[in-house]
Amino acid sequence: MLNKYARAFFTRVLTPFAAFLIRRGVSPDTVTLIGTAGVVAGALVFYPRGEFFWGTVVITLFVFSDLVDGNMARQLGRSSRWGAFLDSTLDRVADGAIFGGFALWYAGRGDDNVLCAVSIFCLASGQVVSYTKARGESIGLPVAVNGLVERAERLVISLVAAGFAGLHKFGVPGIQWLLPIALWIVAAGSLVTLVQRVVTVRRESAEAEAAAGPQAGGAAR
């Protein structure tokens, strides 16, 4: 849902900024690299110290590069396999840094092994969810399923919760529990999404093999 509606809205909003960068001679790949570096820095510098509010502010400023670079490529008419590959690869790096930052906090000063494990599960499951779709498509299957919690949902739930949880340091009581709740939601949702995609690939694979069976048999005769 977020991919369908929020992405379209922010793409329209960010189009003038993308055009400005193009006029300044900035390339889409440069925006991708800078955006990822900013997200990684925000996550791994602030989150392990428990600075969730400022970490989220920094990450949010850079995470929109994921929309800006694609917008620039379309305006330039330069959409390419390399650009898509770079963007997708660095998305995984950014996601890993965010949940890795949470894990480092709970493994250290946050002192909660269970939430550290949940953060690691969110990190790993997010990578595997993305891999299942990429791998399914690489063997010729459409993987036609909208998962319960995809990348956009994972980021929004986690970053909004982290940002609000960070207000605890400004004297807002009890709000720090939003982040643990969000991590459990993301973990459960990612597991459901992984199952959805595996089941879909299994079904589509069986359908493709059933459709190819009679043709293969006819060719053999």
Side-chain angles (χ1 to χ4, degrees):
M1 184 175 65
L2 286 174
N3 276 330
K4 182 177 180 181
Y5 297 106
R7 180 175 288 269
F9 170 75
F10 284 110
T11 295
R12 289 194 298 270
V13 170
L14 294 171
T15 293
F17 180 62
F20 168 79
L21 293 177
I22 291 172
R23 290 195 298 272
R24 293 291 178 177
V26 180
S27 72
D29 287 352
T30 299
V31 172
T32 303
L33 291 167
I34 292 174
T36 302
V39 171
V40 170
L44 297 183
V45 171
F46 290 95
Y47 283 175
R49 302 187 312 187
E51 297 288 346
F52 295 119
F53 178 79
W54 293 115
T56 301
V57 169
V58 172
I59 291 169
T60 302
L61 290 175
F62 284 99
V63 80
F64 284 106
S65 66
D66 190 43
L67 300 177
V68 174
D69 56 6
N71 193 310
M72 292 172 66
R74 285 189 292 274
Q75 290 189 46
L76 290 168
R78 293 182 186 171
S79 296
S80 65
R81 291 184 177 88
W82 161 249
F85 170 81
L86 180 66
D87 188 57
S88 180
T89 300
L90 294 184
D91 281 350
R92 307 289 84 75
V93 173
D95 293 357
I98 291 171
F99 290 104
F102 294 145
L104 287 172
W105 162 251
Y106 287 116
R109 292 167 59 189
D111 193 24
D112 193 318
N113 289 337
V114 172
L115 287 175
C116 176
V118 173
S119 299
I120 293 172
F121 179 83
C122 289
L123 190 163
S125 60
Q127 306 295 319
V128 176
V129 163
S130 298
Y131 174 79
T132 54
K133 186 172 181 65
R135 184 68 178 117
E137 290 174 344
S138 74
I139 58 176
L141 300 175
V143 196
V145 58
N146 292 320
L148 179 65
V149 176
E150 297 184 324
R151 183 172 188 259
E153 287 80 10
R154 289 197 303 272
L155 287 180
V156 169
I157 293 170
S158 303
L159 293 179
V160 169
F164 278 111
L167 294 176
H168 178 68
K169 288 201 170 185
F170 295 91
V172 180
I175 202 165
Q176 70 272 20
W177 291 106
L178 283 177
L179 180 55
I181 293 170
L183 289 174
W184 279 107
I185 290 172
V186 171
S190 296
L191 180 60
V192 171
T193 304
L194 177 59
V195 172
Q196 287 177 305
R197 289 193 173 178
V198 169
V199 169
T200 298
V201 169
R202 180 178 175 81
R203 174 178 53 79
E204 291 176 349
S205 176
E207 290 173 352
E209 290 173 1
Q215 297 175 6
R221 288 193 299 271

